[in-house]
Amino acid sequence: MGLTGPGEANVENRPAELGQTMHGATMLPGRVASVAAIEPLLRLDNISKDFPGVKALANVHFDLRRGEVHAVCGENGAGKSTLMKIVSGVYQPSSGTITYKGEERHFSSTRESEAAGIAIIHQELNLVPHLTVAENIYLAREPRRGFLGGSFLVDRKKLRADAKRCLDRLGVDINPDRPVRGLSVAQCQMVEIAKALSLDAEVLIMDEPTSSLTEQETGKLFKVIRDLKASGVGIVYISHRLDEMSEIVDRVTVLRDGRYISTDDFAATSIDAIVSKMVGRSLEEKFPERTSVPSDEVIFSAQGLSRAGVFRDISFTLRRGEILGFAGLMGAGRTEVARAIFGADPLDTGTVTLHGHTLSISSPRDAIAAGLAYLSEDRKAQGLAVKMTVDANMTLANMAAVSNRFGLIDFAKHARATKEYIDLLNIRTPSIKQPVRLLSGGNQQKIIIGKWLFRKSKLLFFDEPTRGIDVGAKLAIYRIMDELAANGIGVVLISSELPEILGMTDRVAVFHQGRITGVLETAKTDQEEIMRYASGYARSAG
Ligand SMILES: Nc1ncnc2c1ncn2[C@@H]1O[C@H](COP(=O)(O)OP(=O)(O)OP(=O)(O)O)[C@@H](O)[C@H]1O
Ligand SMILES: [Mg+2]
């Protein structure tokens, strides 16, 4: 149709409701010139962004129409978040222009972009832990009911009611008066979404909104997205969960290494095609062929683990060469059990045995010394020292391996070890001395994985390891898990993604309300059966 190229609107495929916003287009009947009249809601031209040592974006184009969901795809570090931080005024572009509602704009802060009607849900959660949910949602925009002694009085009743309305719209049951501290990652994500919705924006940018949501929560979010779409809001959607995109996405733009690759109608392309554009080659497989073979030898066992009010009577074994899955709904107790085994939370009763030795663990330090590792699902809070450099983080859990016999750090060894894992996991960083907080979200996740691999543990709990990680790196992580298992290292995969459980594990322990309702052989089960156990409808004796 001759209308390709960035920044140009595609006349045939424009959403119907756009017609109302384009008075004037009809004056040019049958002419392609009507393209000019379909000025997109937002248009980015030739955007570049340089950080010290990193060219994060180079001449990127992007446009967003009213009433569409426009996905931005790319590998970890491709520049997706940076591009959207430029739109929302967090960063200034090194060059290029932003055209919003037909006018060239510069936003020097999020406050400015919000005032113009652009809201962003950031990939990293930014809530204030000691404030309540309602206070977080309306931070710095609290409804006021007067002025006293030089400051505003907050209308707490309205604050609470408004916050509740936003939460209800998402169908989440969180008390607006409770502090944010103590909420799960998924709940925090929902609060962030509620906060963005409360702005009633015309452009809504969602950077990995579903990375820690369950399928059900994602479904609720998608319903809200459809409503927003129908009311003409333009939505930018960034996600590594490509499968879920077909439900809501209208167009997709791919970035690779900070460069613009393509924009397509979602219906006219395929996930495979998107993936090849992202990685620059085609990816044949989603899961690697398993090379490790489970033996009869039990290397780890947990017997009768309980923690009052959290989980009860948890028993399972792990055999040499095996990958064991922990499946279940959010809050079923999977993470809690792993944390307790790792000594991060107390255990009331129960014993754990590793290679025939009963372990006595009362802190993560004990657990690490015994050879256990836990890759946490919450990287910010538990996995990383974000202000420290890449190399410091990588070796944090195993300083001994990079020290000489006097206990001093051997810097050459240190650098070699760090570089090895940067290559293995394809971590994008300008140098090993880069502070971790400056890496993209997915690359931060890879650092945590590298850190524990470097520790050479005997048993690893991978808690949602591929959250926010691009397809290529996912495959690399799966390969590593298989390799670990093949080398006799115990691997437990905690995952909410059933395809991942089915694709990678040998057996799966299904959790429901703090108990294991069944341990199933992966080859003989399917999603439906796992869901029956996860929702408590099925239960096996063992
Ligand atoms: N403030 C910063 N200082 C230096 N480098 C940065 C900064 N922010 C981002 N970068 C770098 O810019 C590049 C693009 O990062 P960005 O966060 O945009 O990636 P992304 O596509 O969102 O990746 P992910 O899928 O992992 O979230 C990366 O190489 C990242 O390390
Ligand atoms: Mg990002």
Side-chain angles (χ1 to χ4, degrees):
M1 66 193 92
L3 283 174
T4 50
E8 281 173 300
N10 180 332
V11 180
E12 275 84 356
N13 291 309
R14 67 173 193 251
E17 60 273 24
L18 230 108
Q20 291 126 33
T21 64
M22 307 185 311
H23 306 299
T26 47
M27 298 187 334
L28 301 159
R31 290 273 314 276
V32 182
S34 61
V35 163
I38 313 172
E39 178 63 40
L41 181 55
L42 174 72
R43 207 179 73 219
L44 310 179
D45 290 300
N46 288 308
I47 298 281
S48 298
K49 178 68 186 173
D50 300 300
F51 291 114
V54 185
K55 188 154 192 71
L57 296 169
N59 294 318
V60 170
H61 301 277
F62 180 79
D63 75 282
L64 180 69
R65 302 169 188 161
R66 287 182 198 274
E68 83 163 339
V69 177
H70 193 149
V72 182
C73 292
E75 290 184 289
N76 296 130
K80 307 177 294 294
S81 298
T82 304
L83 188 64
M84 291 309 142
K85 283 179 181 169
I86 285 173
V87 175
S88 57
V90 177
Y91 294 145
Q92 304 307 308
S94 305
S95 61
T97 55
I98 301 175
T99 311
Y100 178 56
K101 297 204 261 187
E103 255 178 70
E104 190 174 328
R105 298 292 302 259
H106 302 272
F107 299 119
S108 52
S109 67
T110 1
R111 188 173 302 215
E112 272 181 32
S113 64
E114 277 175 8
I118 300 174
I120 180 163
I121 301 168
H122 285 288
Q123 183 174 16
E124 322 81 45
L125 304 172
N126 287 310
L127 302 173
V128 188
H130 64 271
L131 295 182
T132 67
V133 168
E135 285 164 347
N136 266 284
I137 292 177
Y138 285 97
L139 198 63
R141 309 180 282 128
E142 296 89 351
R144 293 159 178 182
R145 62 178 173 87
F147 199 64
L148 185 79
S151 55
F152 287 105
L153 289 174
V154 172
D155 184 344
R156 302 211 65 88
K157 211 164 134 192
K158 181 163 172 9
L159 175 71
R160 204 173 303 139
D162 288 353
K164 180 139 183 11
R165 205 166 328 112
C166 296
L167 293 165
D168 285 349
R169 187 164 171 199
L170 282 166
V172 283
D173 186 21
I174 303 174
N175 178 359
D177 285 328
R178 62 156 295 163
V180 158
R181 177 177 293 128
L183 290 181
S184 70
V185 183
Q187 287 172 318
C188 289
Q189 205 156 41
M190 282 301 204
V191 173
E192 291 273 9
I193 294 168
K195 183 174 175 171
L197 291 181
S198 74
L199 288 164
D200 282 325
E202 287 176 76
V203 171
L204 182 56
I205 301 167
M206 302 186 159
D207 195 349
E208 295 278 350
T210 60
S211 60
S212 50
L213 300 187
T214 58
E215 216 168 295
Q216 203 183 12
E217 289 163 326
T218 302
K220 287 178 191 160
L221 176 65
F222 282 3
K223 195 182 164 299
V224 175
I225 289 179
R226 282 187 207 105
D227 290 348
L228 291 171
K229 229 169 111 157
S231 65
V233 176
I235 296 166
V236 181
Y237 192 81
I238 300 177
S239 175
H240 287 289
R241 295 185 169 181
L242 301 178
D243 299 341
E244 71 187 19
M245 289 198 171
S246 61
E247 287 187 47
I248 46 161
V249 170
D250 299 298
R251 287 193 299 159
V252 52
T253 288
V254 176
L255 302 182
R256 185 164 78 231
D257 293 332
R259 280 188 301 267
Y260 173 88
I261 301 294
S262 61
T263 300
D264 294 291
D265 282 326
F266 194 85
T269 184
S270 66
I271 302 277
D272 283 347
I274 295 170
V275 169
S276 339
K277 284 178 177 169
M278 279 169 57
V279 301
R281 66 193 147 90
S282 66
L283 278 189
E284 312 285 292
E285 35 172 9
K286 266 181 133 178
F287 299 101
E289 184 118 8
R290 287 290 307 280
T291 59
S292 72
V293 185
S295 75
D296 288 339
E297 180 194 346
V298 169
I299 56 176
F300 178 83
S301 90
Q303 292 303 323
L305 308 185
S306 294
R307 182 171 177 221
V310 186
F311 52 83
R312 256 179 75 190
D313 205 17
I314 300 291
S315 300
F316 64 90
T317 57
L318 183 66
R319 297 179 207 136
R320 181 178 287 277
E322 179 178 60
I323 297 179
L324 177 70
F326 276 10
L329 303 176
M330 202 71 69
R334 299 165 300 163
T335 291
E336 288 73 9
V337 167
R339 282 177 53 89
I341 293 173
F342 189 63
D345 294 325
L347 259 181
D348 297 339
T349 58
T351 50
V352 294
T353 316
L354 181 64
H355 292 292
H357 300 286
T358 300
L359 304 181
S360 149
I361 289 170
S362 49
S363 70
R365 183 189 295 251
D366 295 345
I368 293 169
L372 304 187
Y374 170 64
L375 280 79
S376 109
E377 60 172 340
D378 182 357
R379 55 175 165 252
K380 224 178 185 176
Q382 292 160 22
L384 281 179
V386 291
K387 290 192 181 137
M388 289 168 68
T389 57
V390 168
D391 59 347
N393 270 280
M394 200 79 94
T395 50
L396 209 54
N398 194 9
M399 288 312 291
V402 291
S403 303
N404 61 21
R405 63 200 166 90
F406 306 112
L408 300 172
I409 295 177
D410 178 337
F411 287 102
K413 235 189 212 176
H414 198 227
R416 225 179 307 122
T418 307
K419 289 201 181 106
E420 184 187 331
Y421 286 93
I422 286 178
D423 285 350
L424 186 71
L425 297 167
N426 190 17
I427 295 172
R428 245 167 252 197
T429 176
S431 86
I432 62 172
K433 292 294 176 199
Q434 186 79 339
V436 163
R437 74 186 159 80
L438 299 182
L439 299 192
S440 79
N443 282 303
Q444 293 187 12
Q445 180 82 344
K446 292 184 194 173
I447 302 261
I448 301 183
I449 295 178
K451 166 178 145 183
W452 288 113
L453 293 178
F454 181 62
R455 172 70 214 184
K456 311 247 184 296
S457 312
K458 294 177 188 142
L459 171 69
L460 286 100
F461 287 94
F462 285 85
D463 199 347
E464 308 284 1
T466 59
R467 208 173 252 178
I469 291 216
D470 68 54
V471 278
K474 266 186 196 171
L475 198 57
I477 289 168
Y478 295 145
R479 288 218 176 90
I480 288 165
M481 288 176 25
D482 174 62
E483 204 173 299
L484 291 169
N487 285 315
I489 293 161
V491 177
V492 177
L493 170 62
I494 305 176
S495 176
S496 300
E497 312 238 343
L498 288 181
E500 182 169 280
I501 291 273
L502 291 168
M504 282 309 296
T505 66
D506 298 291
R507 285 186 306 146
V508 48
V510 190
F511 285 66
H512 170 69
Q513 293 184 349
R515 284 167 169 273
I516 291 179
T517 44
V519 178
L520 310 170
E521 279 199 45
T522 308
K524 293 185 190 149
T525 186
D526 56 18
Q527 296 216 17
E528 284 70 35
E529 189 182 32
I530 295 177
M531 280 316 293
R532 275 203 302 283
Y533 280 88
S535 49
Y537 292 122
R539 185 179 284 262
S540 68

